Amino acid sequence: MNDLQLEMKFTGDPGRNRLRDTINAGEFTLLIESRSPAKDLDLAVGSERLAELEKCILAITGIPASLAVLDGGNSAEYWRAAEFVGALDPEERDRHLFYFGGRNTTASEMRQLTSLALSAGARNLVAVSGEAAAGEGLADTRRHHFFESRRMLSYWNAEREVPPTLFTGCAVNPFQYTAPSLFSQYANLIRKLHSGAQFVVTQAGWDMLKLQSLCWYLRSRAFYQPLIARLILLTPERVERILGGQEPGVTISKDFQRILDQELRFSRSQFEAAQWRRLELQAAGCRLLGFSGVQVSGANTPARIATVADRITSALQEFKNFNEWLEAYNSYQARAEMAPLSTSFYLYDRALLRAFPESPLKMNVPDPIEVTWGERFRYRLRHFLFPHADQQGASERQWLKRIFAGCGGCDRCRLVQCEFICPDHCPKHLANGPCGGIRPDGSCEIAGVGECIFRRQYRLADWRQHVLNWEDRVVPPGRTDEPGDANVPEIKTNR
Ligand code: SF4
Ligand code: SF4
């Protein structure tokens, strides 16, 4: 990346962004997802494949359609989505979506990739902090650098050299089934929206009630950014991958697994037919719930792309009314329980009942959130010992911080902003998480870490009755030696 030209000379019309305009005009949009390949595939070959997919997508007529290029994901070495912008038709690049993953990305590389993508004509970017590799342990994850998505959004939205039509998005995992996990995930989303996210893409899942809750929650907080639901077209192999934990943050409930097992007992073609119908129902439901579009994963051949477009177009024609859709959806899913836990928390209704919230909107009250005696004691002790740690040099009182806060030694102490739980305990060193890989029971994506640290922070903030203040904090990164960090806009901290 070192020899990239950083001056931005924009390709295409910098005043045009057809994806943003289509979504903002209320046209339900289809995005077909493709991952950038691993580096064992030649860049030129990968570019040709992507250009072929683009041609199929541009041929779709029944629904506005675009390509969403994901950053390779959790394989060790992969080409970056930004490196493929130039492979696409120069006149069409403003229609497509490009992901920026934070894994193995320094601030300087993020700037270079942004420059590369924008110069080549990309206008729609999504920031994600990145995933751990499949089976990766704590020590391995810690060796990688994860550039936080919130910081990317801040950078993109503060940078003066970007086209005025830049449309930046973020991701959220709404499939959370305990109150602390749900509220800490929502809090992170709100921070990203405050940092400049103009639209939101959800993690993939099958629980339509959780998608509806996300929509209602954001509207109740007066956030009206467009929402795009990520949907997976399942194959037997994909089901195995998900059940094997190879897609962090994607969950299949026991009931849903039972249904899939039944579908698998018949022939492969019957299994496929069942998945096409599921995709139709989900896509039509998303539109009726207020989503602006869907991003479909698993359509990786020209034939499948054409079928996805046909199926979704016809489903949008078939279901124009919420109640008709609900009846079809419930009978198809046989009212299966989509929640993976027996005591799952839902913020509003506990069943899909209506398209629009009642007025006034009633929230379910979660059970009291547990904070143990030990947690309260540790909080008070750290508060007593390090009340001004954020205003002191990070090395000050470090041996005490090591003993009482598990300090790993970063360059800027953030204990005070983090409910006195050191953010460096997150294996990805995220400061404003949680990431989308958090498991349904609230434990960290990385085995052996225990409860996600942001969920612990949330429980303490709830105990101290200042959740809104906690949500409002934007915590800086711990390392200040990355090239380019100075250009990342400064931090707002409220205490
Ligand atoms: S934030 Fe954590 S790692 Fe950094 S100085 Fe404070 S206690 Fe140590
Ligand atoms: S501690 Fe939370 S945010 Fe960090 S990697 Fe684990 S699940 Fe993700």
Side-chain angles (χ1 to χ4, degrees):
M1 297 298 306
N2 294 336
D3 54 354
L4 288 174
Q5 174 58 264
L6 287 180
E7 276 170 35
M8 296 191 209
K9 296 190 177 88
F10 301 126
T11 298
D13 177 355
R16 187 172 72 176
N17 184 337
R18 281 168 292 176
L19 178 62
R20 183 196 63 174
D21 294 348
T22 305
I23 287 176
N24 285 345
E27 285 187 69
F28 194 77
T29 299
L30 169 64
L31 290 140
I32 299 287
E33 178 181 302
S34 177
R35 277 190 188 275
S36 61
K39 284 211 164 166
D40 51 12
L41 186 74
D42 185 70
L43 182 63
V45 177
S47 298
E48 270 171 37
R49 283 190 193 167
L50 210 63
E52 283 303 312
L53 290 186
E54 186 199 24
K55 271 190 209 142
C56 305
I57 291 164
L58 295 177
I60 293 170
T61 52
I63 181 170
S66 301
L67 179 64
V69 188
L70 268 55
D71 245 353
N74 55 15
S75 73
E77 287 281 325
Y78 53 84
W79 298 106
R80 307 302 300 257
E83 293 172 296
F84 288 95
V85 180
L88 304 178
D89 183 336
E91 288 305 312
E92 305 293 344
R93 293 173 191 167
D94 65 297
R95 285 171 61 144
H96 304 308
L97 193 58
F98 299 90
Y99 278 70
F100 279 60
R103 183 182 162 97
N104 293 334
T105 309
T106 62
S108 147
E109 285 165 335
M110 194 276 298
R111 286 208 328 273
Q112 290 176 334
L113 286 167
T114 301
S115 173
L116 176 68
L118 296 183
S119 312
R123 297 291 174 267
N124 306 295
L125 314 181
V126 179
V128 290
S129 299
E131 300 167 348
E136 193 172 77
L138 177 59
D140 284 340
T141 307
R142 284 190 169 280
R143 271 197 281 278
H144 295 277
H145 185 279
F146 288 82
F147 193 90
E148 203 166 43
S149 57
R150 191 207 59 74
R151 293 177 64 211
M152 281 186 221
L153 289 159
S154 278
Y155 172 72
W156 290 336
N157 287 284
E159 181 57 58
R160 293 190 195 291
E161 295 280 306
V162 299
T165 47
L166 185 66
F167 195 41
T168 56
C170 67
V172 66
N173 184 346
F175 303 101
Q176 305 297 330
Y177 293 92
T178 65
S181 297
L182 183 69
F183 288 125
S184 48
Q185 189 72 218
Y186 281 175
N188 191 21
L189 173 59
I190 303 285
R191 289 186 198 115
K192 293 181 207 175
L193 295 171
H194 282 311
S195 298
Q198 295 160 272
F199 64 96
V200 180
V201 185
T202 70
Q203 178 55 287
W206 292 269
D207 188 344
M208 300 300 285
L209 195 49
K210 284 290 177 190
L211 293 178
Q212 185 178 58
S213 293
L214 171 70
C215 200
W216 287 5
Y217 179 77
L218 287 178
R219 303 315 179 230
S220 76
R221 299 278 312 264
F223 289 104
Y224 296 99
Q225 283 84 350
L227 300 173
I228 294 168
R230 182 167 178 253
L231 307 180
I232 293 181
L233 184 55
L234 283 171
T235 57
E237 296 75 26
R238 194 80 186 260
V239 174
E240 285 296 312
R241 273 179 58 82
I242 295 170
L243 292 176
Q246 290 184 48
E247 300 207 16
V250 182
T251 326
I252 291 180
S253 71
K254 286 265 179 296
D255 254 16
F256 185 37
Q257 194 182 336
R258 186 179 46 74
I259 293 176
L260 291 170
D261 284 344
Q262 277 168 5
E263 290 167 359
L264 271 168
R265 267 187 221 124
F266 304 109
S267 65
R268 184 158 179 132
S269 63
Q270 276 175 302
F271 178 84
E272 277 191 8
Q275 305 323 309
W276 286 118
R277 185 59 178 160
R278 183 162 287 122
L279 184 75
E280 287 175 5
L281 284 164
Q282 274 195 293
C286 285
R287 192 190 53 180
L288 292 163
L289 295 179
F291 279 70
S292 300
V294 290
Q295 177 178 309
V296 177
S297 166
N300 41 16
T301 62
R304 280 170 89 79
I305 291 171
T307 311
V308 165
D310 285 349
R311 293 291 192 131
I312 291 182
T313 308
S314 67
L316 297 181
Q317 294 293 328
E318 182 181 350
F319 297 108
K320 298 218 155 129
N321 166 305
F322 180 81
N323 289 332
E324 279 172 21
W325 170 79
L326 186 60
E327 206 182 315
Y329 175 74
N330 278 337
S331 82
Y332 194 75
Q333 292 290 99
R335 293 186 191 272
E337 178 59 79
M338 285 294 161
L341 306 175
S342 53
T343 53
S344 293
F345 174 70
Y346 283 87
L347 191 51
Y348 304 107
D349 300 328
R350 286 194 170 81
L352 267 173
L353 297 173
R354 54 183 78 83
F356 301 103
E358 287 173 316
S359 183
L361 181 58
K362 282 192 224 132
M363 272 200 207
N364 292 321
V365 181
D367 293 336
I369 290 171
E370 197 192 340
V371 180
T372 63
W373 179 89
E375 285 177 306
R376 290 175 204 210
F377 175 76
R378 282 191 292 279
Y379 174 87
R380 289 190 176 115
L381 181 68
R382 290 168 190 165
H383 190 276
F384 173 75
L385 290 172
F386 317 116
H388 306 299
D390 56 334
Q391 291 157 31
Q392 298 165 339
S395 56
E396 228 172 287
R397 314 187 86 193
Q398 202 173 33
W399 65 272
L400 264 184
K401 285 196 274 188
R402 232 175 239 147
I403 296 170
F404 293 107
C407 174
C410 73
D411 304 335
R412 186 195 269 143
C413 191
R414 297 147 299 152
L415 274 178
V416 174
Q417 294 104 314
C418 297
E419 303 300 308
F420 293 92
I421 293 175
C422 172
D424 256 23
H425 290 180
C426 166
K428 297 179 183 171
H429 298 291
L430 303 180
N432 298 278
C435 68
I438 182 172
R439 294 171 196 248
D441 65 356
S443 59
C444 175
E445 164 185 354
I446 310 299
V449 172
E451 185 180 4
C452 169
I453 65 150
F454 297 100
R455 199 174 175 279
R456 286 164 59 201
Q457 287 184 19
Y458 174 84
R459 289 192 296 101
L460 284 168
D462 181 72
W463 165 59
R464 296 184 59 226
Q465 301 186 336
H466 75 163
V467 164
L468 283 180
N469 185 289
W470 175 74
E471 175 189 288
D472 212 23
R473 290 176 197 160
V474 173
V475 182
R479 268 90 195 157
T480 52
D481 59 349
E482 292 172 8
D485 243 13
N487 288 343
V488 176
E490 226 5 270
I491 326 290
K492 184 178 92 177
T493 49
N494 300 333
R495 285 213 284 144

